[in-house]
Amino acid sequence: MKFVDEATIDVAAGNGGSGCASFRREKFIPFGGPDGGDGGRGGHVYVQADRNINTLIDYRYARKHIARNGEQGRGADCFGAAGPDITLRVPVGTIIRNEETGEQIKEMLEHGEIFMLAKGGDGGFGNLRYKTSTNRAPTKKTPGWPGEALKIKMELRVLADVGLLGMPNAGKSTLITAMSNARPKIADYPFTTLHPNLGVVRVGPEKSFVMADIPGLIEGASEGAGLGHLFLRHLQRTRVLLHVIDLAPFDDVDPVKQAKAIVNELKKYDKALYDKPRWLVLNKLDMVPAEERVQRVADFVKRYKWKGPVFEISALSHEGCQHLALKIYEFVASLQEHHEERDVRFEADEGDGALVASLRQQIAPVATELDVPVVAKKAPAKKAAAKKVAAKKVAAKKTAKKADQQAEPEAFVPDADDPRFR
């Protein structure tokens, strides 16, 4: 399949259907009244991210995507049907921009994410909508609203944790083959890789990261030499770049000069990409005699004036690849965000305790000057014991109330001055 990472298309939502002006006509019903229905809405245009798609080849030749219009309203209170929606499936990592203004509309980063690109027009009103007590035979109807239409540019940037950077024939494709199950084309001539390749490197159970291999860069790529630097956009989402160096070039070129040329091209393309963490990977050590390896590596690092991490590997014999994979995973895992789940049931208690402690610290100096003892915080009683004490108090109150009601009234003693008892 041809790899396509850019596409420009026209999308248009459907127009709304027009309303209907109709009157009820039946036998023995002289004044049936209005019964014209509304028009249906036009179809929407959605875009959905799909991890099963790796390229934008579907939109290289299909340039226009237009949703159907809504149906018109009809008599007998029949409303028009809505136009069917259309969904454009794109790879995860696609950036959608407005071609005319250059404004970024959406960035599809999660599988299954859906976004409405163009909204369908609403349907028009039929004369049934305008029926009132004073206007019993309206003839007014409205047309449907037009749907949204725009020209968009889709740009794919692969989602990877690690990006491979280097000259052609530096061993990048061999390295991603040795560390993952990816199987890119490998040959003994330059520019074997013509499009980015992704590979999942598994370090252990539930421990993995994604590696991206892009076509090689040469000096003058910013001016169009080689394949140019258009594929560098696929490295902008990575967390770390691996600069692969061929320590045993077949044409006897200077590896230090090539490495500096790659870095210069990287800086010309994007300053943010140039500032990303970059590790040096010295490849093809199996072609260097064992007694010369240490000296050649030290000489290269000294001339290149490199102070960052350096890894000595041989992608062909897998020497040093496991150690490199472990170090990459540790670095990538340290940059990932870890969200701790807190129990909300105890957040209020902890907040109250902190507030009380802070108030006690503020009151303590004032209380010392005024010789007022600060009451120490008592240990909280257990909830079960507190409930039992409360229950006992309630029971005691009920018992006392019943005893007062059941008590016999006092004997009546008449007043001596009362004339009724004289």
Side-chain angles (χ1 to χ4, degrees):
M1 179 185 294
K2 185 178 179 180
F3 184 84
V4 177
D5 57 358
E6 279 187 351
T8 303
I9 62 174
D10 295 318
V11 296
N15 299 327
S18 300
C20 176
S22 173
F23 294 90
R24 184 181 179 188
R25 294 285 186 260
E26 293 185 21
K27 190 177 181 180
F28 306 119
I29 302 178
F31 302 102
D35 63 351
D38 298 344
R41 68 158 179 85
H44 304 314
V45 180
Y46 293 95
V47 60
Q48 181 178 9
D50 190 349
R51 63 188 174 196
N52 299 316
I53 301 177
N54 301 320
T55 176
L56 296 172
I57 186 65
D58 296 336
Y59 307 102
R60 172 56 64 90
Y61 306 106
R63 297 298 182 91
K64 292 186 177 181
H65 300 269
I66 303 174
R68 294 181 59 181
N69 299 332
E71 294 186 1
Q72 296 184 357
R74 301 175 185 174
D77 298 347
C78 292
F79 285 34
D85 303 331
I86 61 175
T87 303
L88 309 178
R89 297 195 306 157
V90 298
V92 178
T94 301
I95 299 177
I96 302 173
R97 290 189 174 91
N98 191 321
E99 176 67 14
E100 297 177 355
T101 63
E103 179 185 1
Q104 180 173 321
I105 300 175
K106 183 63 177 177
E107 192 172 5
M108 312 299 290
L109 297 178
E110 296 183 3
H111 172 68
E113 184 178 4
I114 299 178
F115 178 75
M116 181 187 293
L117 277 179
K119 183 180 182 299
D122 295 329
F125 290 161
N127 63 341
L128 181 62
R129 291 271 188 174
Y130 300 99
K131 180 181 67 174
T132 63
S133 60
T134 57
N135 186 11
R136 299 186 179 183
T139 59
K140 182 180 179 179
K141 64 176 182 178
T142 57
W145 291 86
E148 296 178 353
L150 67 157
K151 188 174 185 179
I152 63 173
K153 180 179 180 180
M154 295 188 291
E155 177 184 334
L156 174 61
R157 295 181 183 177
V158 296
L159 300 177
D161 301 309
V162 184
L164 299 181
L165 186 69
M167 298 287 290
N169 270 37
K172 301 185 298 297
S173 298
T174 307
L175 178 60
I176 195 174
T177 302
M179 299 180 65
S180 69
N181 289 331
R183 294 295 177 265
K185 183 179 179 180
I186 301 175
D188 58 352
Y189 55 85
F191 298 108
T192 308
T193 302
L194 299 178
H195 58 81
N197 297 295
L198 294 180
V200 179
V201 181
R202 303 190 183 279
V203 181
E206 300 182 359
K207 295 181 179 181
S208 62
F209 59 88
V210 180
M211 179 179 290
D213 172 29
I214 67 168
L217 291 177
I218 61 175
E219 188 174 1
S222 59
E223 301 174 358
L227 294 179
H229 58 193
L230 295 179
F231 289 104
L232 284 176
R233 72 165 68 99
H234 297 287
L235 300 181
Q236 292 180 340
R237 301 184 190 273
T238 58
R239 301 176 184 270
V240 60
L241 298 177
L242 299 184
H243 191 171
V244 183
I245 305 295
D246 182 4
L247 276 189
F250 62 91
D251 51 359
D252 296 330
V253 296
D254 188 5
V256 176
K257 183 179 179 181
Q258 290 184 339
K260 291 182 178 180
I262 291 293
V263 174
N264 291 334
E265 294 297 329
L266 198 65
K267 190 174 183 178
K268 290 180 182 179
Y269 177 77
D270 188 5
K271 185 64 167 58
L273 189 60
Y274 172 78
D275 294 334
K276 278 184 177 291
R278 195 164 65 250
W279 295 359
L280 209 60
V281 178
L282 306 181
N283 193 19
K284 299 186 181 181
L285 286 181
D286 56 314
M287 300 181 64
V288 180
E291 60 275 7
E292 300 180 7
R293 291 183 183 179
V294 177
Q295 180 62 28
R296 184 171 297 191
V297 170
D299 180 66
F300 176 86
V301 174
K302 181 179 180 180
R303 293 172 53 205
Y304 188 54
K305 299 180 181 179
W306 180 255
K307 298 181 180 180
V310 180
F311 296 90
E312 306 170 17
I313 68 166
S314 172
L316 183 63
S317 62
H318 295 196
E319 180 184 352
C321 292
Q322 184 64 24
H323 175 68
L324 176 61
L326 291 174
K327 291 298 182 181
I328 293 174
Y329 177 77
E330 292 177 1
F331 180 78
V332 172
S334 65
L335 298 179
Q336 293 178 352
E337 297 181 359
H338 300 280
H339 301 281
E340 297 181 359
E341 295 184 0
R342 300 183 60 183
D343 196 338
V344 297
R345 297 175 298 175
F346 302 104
E347 288 185 357
D349 297 340
E350 294 176 359
D352 295 343
L355 179 61
V356 172
S358 61
L359 290 176
R360 290 184 182 279
Q361 292 179 359
Q362 296 176 6
I363 295 173
V366 180
T368 305
E369 295 178 359
L370 301 176
D371 295 335
V372 178
V374 179
V375 181
K377 184 179 178 181
K378 296 182 179 179
K382 294 183 179 180
K383 293 183 179 180
K387 289 182 179 180
K388 290 182 179 180
V389 172
K392 289 181 178 180
K393 290 182 178 180
V394 173
K397 288 182 179 180
K398 290 182 178 180
T399 304
K401 188 175 181 180
K402 288 182 180 180
D404 294 341
Q405 293 177 355
Q406 294 177 1
E408 296 181 359
E410 298 180 0
F412 177 73
V413 179
D415 191 359
D417 296 334
D418 194 341
R420 294 177 298 173
F421 300 101
R422 289 180 181 176

